[in-house]
Structures are given as C-alpha cells and as structure tokens.
Amino acid sequence: MPKPIKPASNLQSNKNGVAKAAARNTDSAPSQPVPATSSDAAVAKAAQTGILVASMPFNPTKAGEHGFVNGLAPQAGATVALASRLPTGSTLSEENSSEKLGAVAAEGVNAGIEPLDRVRVDSAGQALTTNQGVKVADNQNSLKYGVRGPALLEDFILREKITHFDHERIPERIVHARGSAAHGFFECYDAATDLTKAAPFKEAGKITPVFVRFSTVAGERGSKDTARDARGFAVKFYTDEGNWDLVGNNMPVFFIQDAMKFPDLVHAVKPEPHNQMPQAASAHDTFWDFVSLMPESTHMLMWVMSDRAIPRSYATMQGFGVHTFRMVNGAGTSVFVKFHWTPMAGTHSLVWDEAVKISGADPDYHRRDLWERIESGAYPEYELGVQVFTEEQAEQFSFDVLDATKIVPEELVPIRPLGRMVLNRNPDNFFAETEQVAFCTAHIVPGLDFSNDPLLAGRHHSYVDTQISRLGGPNFHEIPINAPVAQVHNNQRDGMHRQAIPRGRVSYEPNSLAGGCPFQAGVAQGFVSVAASISAKEEQGKVRAKPEKFADHYTQATLFFESQSPVEQGHIANAFRFELSKVTVPAIRQRTVAMLRNASEALATKVAKGLGMTTMPEPLPKAITDVAAPEVMKSPALSLLHRPGDGSLAGRKVAILVAPGVEADFVLKAQTALLAQGVVARIVGPHIGLMTTLSGDELDADASMENSPGFLFDALILADGAEAIAALSQDGHTGEFIRDQFRHCKPIMCVGDARHLVRKAGLPISMDKSLAQGGTGLIVAEAGEGGDAMDAFMAAMRKHRHFGREMDPPLL
Ligand code: HDE
C-alpha cells in the first residue's frame, strides 16, 4: 500500500527550517547568511561556505600581476585557513565509505603519486578473471551452440579478451622507437647550492630516484640495437620538487640548428618512403642527399661516423644534455651549463664488422646487456658533471653556445662533477614502464632553466605534443611511470583516461570557495623563469634567421677529427666509405666529399679513394670564410680512448671454448677467476650439454658456437686437451670464432696445444709466449700454466681492444 501524502499545509516559518530546506537545494539560497551553529550538516556546510567566501572579499594579488619587477618575483596566491573541511568537499556523503571507495580524500594529498607498488600485480595463487574481476571457468574454448555449433556473440569472455588484444599496440615513438630502460638513483656528491637550488643537488648524499631510457634514433621498435646511430640517453629524475627530464644523447652535438629542420632530417634518415628501406640505417640516398645540403651537420656526422655510434654497451657510453641550459641558485643568480654523463666503466665501442654481425645474431644485444648487467649486480654507473660558464664568458667564445652543432671543449671549460647515477633495478614490465614513459625537455624544476637555443625551444613543444597521440590523450602524466613523487594539485580536469578523482567543486583559480586552494606558489617555492636579458648587438624584431656564428660549419668538425687517435680516424674514414658506397647517386657522394674537404683534407682524400673517385670535387662553398680562431686546436677529451674507466671488468663476457676431452681443471679455474671479477665466463662447446673431460669428469657446455658466435664475446679462451682440440679443429665454427675475435682486436688466450687451433684459423701470428708482453692482447700459456696467465688475460681485457693488430682491409 502506498503511503498517503501529507498535505503541505503548515509553511515552515522558523529560520532553521528555511536554512535546512535551502541547504538541500543545489540552486538558489536565502538572501541572508545562514546560522553557522546548526547541527545539520547541510546547513553547516552552507554556512561555513558563506564564511569562507566572505573572508576573501577581493583578489588581493591582482595588483601584483603587473610590471616587470613583479614578474620576476611572483607572489604566492591568496589563501585562507579552513575552519573545517566541510565547505571544500564535493559531497556530504563522502563519509560513507566502502571497500571500493576507501575513506574521504586525505587532506592536501594527491594519492596518485604513491610508489609504483600501488599498481603492481602478482597473480601467484590467483584464479584467472576477466577485466571485471569475474572468474573465468574455461580459458580454452569459446562459447558455442553445441560442441560443433556456431560461436556465440554473447561470449563476453572471448570478446573482452580479443578486443583487448586487438588494441595492445600503441603508436611507436616517431624517433627513438627502439629503446631499453632501467630504474636507479642519483646521489649528490656535495651540495651544489652555489650553482643551483635544484632539488637533486641540495645536499651531500641526497638520493633522487631516476628512470633512464636508452635508445637508437632511426630504427623502428623491433629494429636491431647495433645500428650505426646516435643513442638516446634520457633520464627522468623524480625529484621532491617535481620531475626533471634530462633528455640527452650519447653525442654532445646534433645535425641541425633549428627545430624547423627536424622533420626534414627525420624524413631523410628514416627508411625511404617508396620502398620502406633500409631499416635502422643512415647508409642510403635520402640521408646523404639531405646532410650534404646541410653543412651544419658536418660536426655531428663526424660523431656518427665514429665508433661512438656503435657503443659496446649502454654502460660504456657517455651522455650529454647537448643544449646549453641554465642553473639558478637561491639568490636568483644564473649561469650557463652543459650536462655530461661519464660512464664509470669507461667509454668502449664495437667495431663495424662486429656490429653488423651482432645485429644478425642478437638484435637485442644492448637490451640484453643492460638487463643482464642489472640482474647480475654489475650495475651501470655514470658520473654527472657540468661545464659552468657565464653569459659574459659565452659571448667571448669563438662559437655560439646556442648552436647545438657546437661543443664547449673541456679544455676551455672543465667539467665539475656533481654526483653519480646507478642503475640497479630492471623494470617489471616493458610496456607499462619503458614504452609508456614520456620524457620532455620542458620538464624542469626550480633551479634549472633553458637557454635560447632554437632547437631546444622546438623540443619543448614536440615532446608533450607527441605523447598526446602516442599515449592517447593529455593525461599521460598520470600513467604510473610518469607520475612524479612530488604532490600534483591543479585545476586541469578531464580528458581521455583521467585517473584522479578531485574532491570538491572548485577547478579554477582564483577562488574563495576552496579557500583559494590550490594557490599559486609564488617566488619562494614556485618555478620562476630567469629574466634572461637579450643584449643582442643585432637588430631586434621578429625575424626568421640565424646568428652569424652559426655559419661556421667546419671548425669544430675539424677539431673533432684532429682530436681522435689514428685508429679512430681510420674508423671514421671507413664509416664514410661504407655509408657513401651504399648511396646510389654518385653526385651525392661527390657533394659529401666536397663538404668533408672543408673539415679535413686528409679525411676527404681517404674517403674519396675508398669510393674509387678519380678526381676530387671542389670544396663546397662556405657560408662564411671569416671565422673566429678556435680557442682549442686539439681536445684529447674527445677521443674514446681518453676514458678507459675504473678498470672494472664487471658485465663483460668471455667464451671458454671446449669439446670432449678438454682439460677441465683449468676451464673451471679460469671461470671462477673471471666470475670473481664480475665477468660472465661461458662454456661454449660444439653443442650445448654434457661432455666427458680429459680427467673423465663431466662438464656442461651452456652455450654452443652455433647459438653464441664469437663476435658476441669480449674475449676468448682456448683450453688445452688433445682430443678436444682435434674435435674443435674439425668444426668450421671454431675458425670463424677465433678469426672474429682476432679481427675485432679482442683478447685471445690459448693454453698448450690450443695454439694449433689458432694456426689452423689462419691467424697471421705465431703464438708464442712472448706475445703476452707485446700488448697485442694475445696470451699464450704452456700446458698446465693456464691458471698463471689469467692475470695477463684480465689485464688485456682491461684495455678493451688491441687495435695494434687491426688491418684495413682485414687479412682474415
Ligand atoms: Fe628528440 N624527440 N627531438 N632529440 N629525442 C623524441 O619524443 C624532437 C633532439 C631525444 O626515451 C620524440 O617522446 C624534436 C635532440 C631522445 O622516450 C619527439 C627535435 C636530442 C628521445 C622528439 C629533437 C634528442 C627523443 C619522439 C628538434 C638530443 C627519446 C618520442 C627540435 C639532445 C626519449 C618522444 C625516450 C624523442 C622531437 C631533437 C633526444 C618526436 C622536434 C637534439 C633521447 O617528440
């Protein structure tokens, strides 16, 4: 029976009743403030809201928004202390909690910044469910009408599974699609507060979590790791004052000087649009056509043709911020800085023949190396340093510090070390972390600022913009890997995939309804741009042009080439020869050699000879001839050999070649000695599995010459044992294994009769004991003396490569 409706006879006449009724409406209200003392929550909320709003009768910071001086020191926004949380809440019902809802939003907290374990999933002991949490009874069969009948549309389990699968892929990065990443930390050496108030540098020993992604530039997401290319070196610092992304490369310069040319550069280097070839390679017409018409690329070309472009490991390459940035201290004084990451393990690269072979045998070479180093505790480590100079000093330099094709030589401005970064944790999930991480040059924190480098300015726009299509909307900052550890509070709302559930009805500023919160932080806490003075001598006004000094395209290309060791110079010449030999239009080769003549006559001549050119083209006309004299004619710091590292061998790989009948005593001793140094020494046989050794014991080969060819290892040990040597000498892989190690100038040690294998491989040397002293990286030990030679072998490994035996063309 429905209840009878009471007649609306007695109109409420008392004030409380009016207030109570009014407070239960979401539009209109009494003309007078309601009493604040009511025990009725709705009335109390209305009353307290009135008081809160009245306590801000006008916007007191408005006047301070004007004028240059105020602009330099913005004031904090106006706020009023809240008497209770009642007026700022979204709803009176927020106290009703449940397992799903949790409690009322904690005061002043954005819970979305909690550590990543809030989103980690471990399914141990759990049943399979749909995305709605419904347990799935059968994950093998779709729902059919009878066992041989048609599949039914009603099968929500199948449809959810397939639909999700259909959308698993997201667009890959336009550039730097191929990458690998790791978590770690940055540790500040000493407070650098004289330079900057940036959070990571505030006190000695301060730890800031980081996530670092390394990448190639041109290749697609599934392309090989060892392509000749620059490497991305992007570091996200989760500082307690917000995220700072230092999105750098392993080379300190770039091809172009203005963001306007970036799409052209990328279109030129990517696979050609008509046939989508070649993948992850610059050795093709469109790239060399473009760069030879863009002589400002000459300096960067030297770097990418050098061995820097084929690093041995992400752990053995430098990183650079490339652009000139600023650091700003607490007093507001700013200086220019250039960022440098220096690997503790030293700089170490592959050689080209090796890189080509590795790309076939293990396209994941760098990804695997990074993963394995971290899993085995050989944590990659880098020192962060800055070159510091003032604006006045910069004006005196022979080059323009806003030009990304120029370095500041270390001999002119030394590097000041600030701290170290250690990568000590692999991601749990590649997609969620490595693929979804979003870097941006514009992500900086108080204490840092930009220079006017026009390339940098373009980047600030590009990185956020690209994430919007790549990660599906403007809320990519809420993806767990991108969320800062610092609080996030603003009035940005909505958009695709929004995660945060803001409490309250205010999404604008200024406001009085939320007591002014979140309020503008002001100069004391907030980010304030440095008031960089533009004291240019040139005419000012809107213009599309470059500064004069940008026109010096060759001085630093020459500096780089002249600063390399003869071996490195040889590799650069060979790389130009290789790349240009792949070009199909002779005129493009001619033009490139014409460009190189302006940087180094010796290099240009060598390249031309290698390309079978019978006459030298005229040098390209220069954009300016009257260039300022460089401060530095040679910079030893630019040679890879300049940074041998701390001598650690951790993370390197050695092959110990074995076959049945091997002298296993030595094999095991050698393996133990190498493992003690953090070297991964693998037992490589004709096939994997158990074999009987000389002493009748069993030895298990964990790799084979077929699945792990020689060029994947940093060094080779050939053990003794007549039967084993006889077997290995009948296997064609053995010769290839040894020849590659020899050709790539890596240490080889042979014990006793194993020297026959070396002879059979055709190495142009007689393996005798004196070799160990010659610094050739070839170590010979008599039968039974292998253990004693291990020190010499490891010393040879510490030198990385023994280029003394390199020949062009190779003898073998
Ligand atoms: Fe990038 N670059 N870039 N770049 N870049 C991207 O951003 C761009 C430049 C660098 O591991 C993209 O999120 C423009 C210099 C790295 O996720 C994109 C210009 C340097 C990474 C983009 C440059 C870099 C990127 C593609 C010229 C060395 C990988 C996906 C104005 C200092 C970051 C993305 C990661 C990625 C644009 C030039 C380094 C398209 C417009 C110079 C390490 O936004």
Side-chain angles (χ1 to χ4, degrees), residues 128-132 134 136-143 153-169:
L128 189 82
T129 72
T130 67
N131 282 336
Q132 303 305 318
V134 176
V136 175
D138 182 339
N139 192 37
Q140 320 306 323
N141 300 294
S142 44
L143 185 67
L153 193 58
E154 124 183 12
D155 189 352
F156 66 93
I157 296 176
L158 175 78
R159 278 193 291 114
E160 183 199 78
K161 186 172 177 179
I162 299 278
T163 306
H164 195 276
F165 170 77
D166 290 345
H167 299 272
E168 271 177 9
R169 295 286 171 276

Side-chain angles (χ1 to χ4, degrees), residues 173 175-176 213 232-234 247-249 254 259 262 321-323 439 455 459 462-463 466-467:
R173 290 165 172 85
V175 281
H176 296 264
R213 184 172 179 274
F233 193 127
V247 199
N249 274 353
F254 202 63
F262 191 66
V322 177
H323 313 277
F439 294 93
L455 197 64
R459 295 182 71 199
S462 177
Y463 288 68
T466 199
Q467 312 307 350

Side-chain angles (χ1 to χ4, degrees), residues 183-191 198-211 235-244 341 381-382 384 418-424 485-486:
H183 293 274
F185 63 87
F186 174 76
E187 182 181 14
C188 180
Y189 288 156
D190 292 306
F201 311 111
K202 277 198 169 144
E203 59 201 71
K206 182 167 179 184
I207 300 285
T208 302
V210 298
F211 188 64
V235 183
K236 189 179 282 292
F237 293 81
Y238 300 94
T239 89
D240 43 29
E241 294 184 29
N243 284 354
W244 168 34
W341 293 107
E381 196 173 328
Y382 312 80
L384 178 66
L418 294 179
R420 67 177 188 130
M421 176 171 77
V422 179
L423 302 182
N424 64 357
V485 298

Side-chain angles (χ1 to χ4, degrees), residues 527-542:
F527 179 87
V528 181
S529 294
V530 169
S533 58
I534 303 170
S535 55
K537 295 170 205 87
E538 312 91 41
E539 272 180 89
Q540 292 294 303
K542 285 184 190 169

Side-chain angles (χ1 to χ4, degrees), residues 23-369:
R24 280 158 175 71
N25 283 290
T26 51
D27 59 354
S28 193
S31 63
Q32 299 304 308
V34 287
T37 49
S38 174
S39 59
D40 183 278
V43 176
K45 178 168 176 156
Q48 289 185 28
T49 301
I51 294 168
L52 180 65
V53 171
S55 65
M56 204 182 280
F58 61 94
N59 180 351
T61 57
K62 199 70 197 162
E65 289 170 19
H66 308 86
F68 190 76
V69 174
N70 283 337
L72 293 183
Q75 48 195 324
T79 57
V80 287
L82 301 175
S84 85
R85 302 194 67 206
L86 210 47
T88 56
S90 305
T91 165
L92 280 173
S93 59
E94 67 183 351
E95 298 290 346
N96 299 332
S97 67
S98 74
E99 206 183 328
K100 171 68 186 167
L101 279 166
V104 178
E107 190 164 354
V109 167
N110 178 341
I113 64 149
E114 290 302 306
L116 292 181
D117 41 8
R118 81 192 148 99
V119 282
R120 287 209 177 92
V121 181
D122 178 24
S123 299
Q126 298 294 328
L128 189 82
T129 72
T130 67
N131 282 336
Q132 303 305 318
V134 176
K135 290 201 171 94
V136 175
D138 182 339
N139 192 37
Q140 320 306 323
N141 300 294
S142 44
L143 185 67
K144 286 172 298 207
Y145 190 73
V147 286
R148 301 185 65 235
L152 300 176
L153 193 58
E154 124 183 12
D155 189 352
F156 66 93
I157 296 176
L158 175 78
R159 278 193 291 114
E160 183 199 78
K161 186 172 177 179
I162 299 278
T163 306
H164 195 276
F165 170 77
D166 290 345
H167 299 272
E168 271 177 9
R169 295 286 171 276
I170 59 169
E172 66 174 36
R173 290 165 172 85
I174 311 286
V175 281
H176 296 264
R178 170 78 188 172
S180 303
H183 293 274
F185 63 87
F186 174 76
E187 182 181 14
C188 180
Y189 288 156
D190 292 306
T193 40
D194 58 319
L195 278 183
T196 175
K197 60 178 176 180
F201 311 111
K202 277 198 169 144
E203 59 201 71
K206 182 167 179 184
I207 300 285
T208 302
V210 298
F211 188 64
V212 182
R213 184 172 179 274
F214 303 107
S215 48
T216 55
V217 182
E220 292 165 7
R221 190 152 71 189
S223 59
K224 61 198 176 193
D225 274 344
T226 52
R228 176 174 294 287
D229 202 348
R231 296 296 182 288
F233 193 127
V235 183
K236 189 179 282 292
F237 293 81
Y238 300 94
T239 89
D240 43 29
E241 294 184 29
N243 284 354
W244 168 34
D245 294 349
L246 184 52
V247 199
N249 274 353
N250 72 332
M251 299 172 186
V253 286
F254 202 63
F255 294 98
I256 51 171
Q257 298 167 318
D258 192 297
M260 189 65 117
K261 298 310 298 168
F262 191 66
D264 300 292
L265 168 71
V266 174
H267 289 174
V269 73
K270 283 269 184 183
E272 298 195 9
H274 59 321
N275 58 18
Q276 205 51 195
M277 291 192 277
Q279 176 61 248
S282 51
H284 59 113
D285 287 345
T286 55
F287 176 72
W288 289 98
D289 181 34
F290 176 75
V291 291
S292 60
L293 293 168
M294 296 280 292
E296 61 267 51
S297 66
T298 315
H299 188 190
M300 178 66 169
L301 286 173
M302 293 286 180
W303 285 83
V304 285
M305 292 303 115
S306 80
D307 293 345
R308 304 268 179 170
I310 40 173
R312 159 65 184 85
S313 158
Y314 293 136
T316 62
M317 61 183 203
Q318 284 174 276
F320 303 90
V322 177
H323 313 277
T324 300
F325 288 87
R326 287 174 187 276
M327 281 189 155
V328 192
N329 66 17
T333 311
S334 108
V335 281
F336 279 146
V337 291
K338 288 267 189 185
F339 290 105
H340 294 247
W341 293 107
T342 305
M344 304 298 197
T347 45
H348 180 193
S349 281
L350 303 171
V351 294
W352 180 239
D353 180 72
E354 185 187 12
V356 170
K357 289 173 172 162
I358 291 174
S359 68
D362 187 5
D364 304 309
Y365 186 71
H366 288 141
R367 176 174 293 177
R368 192 182 312 284
D369 174 88

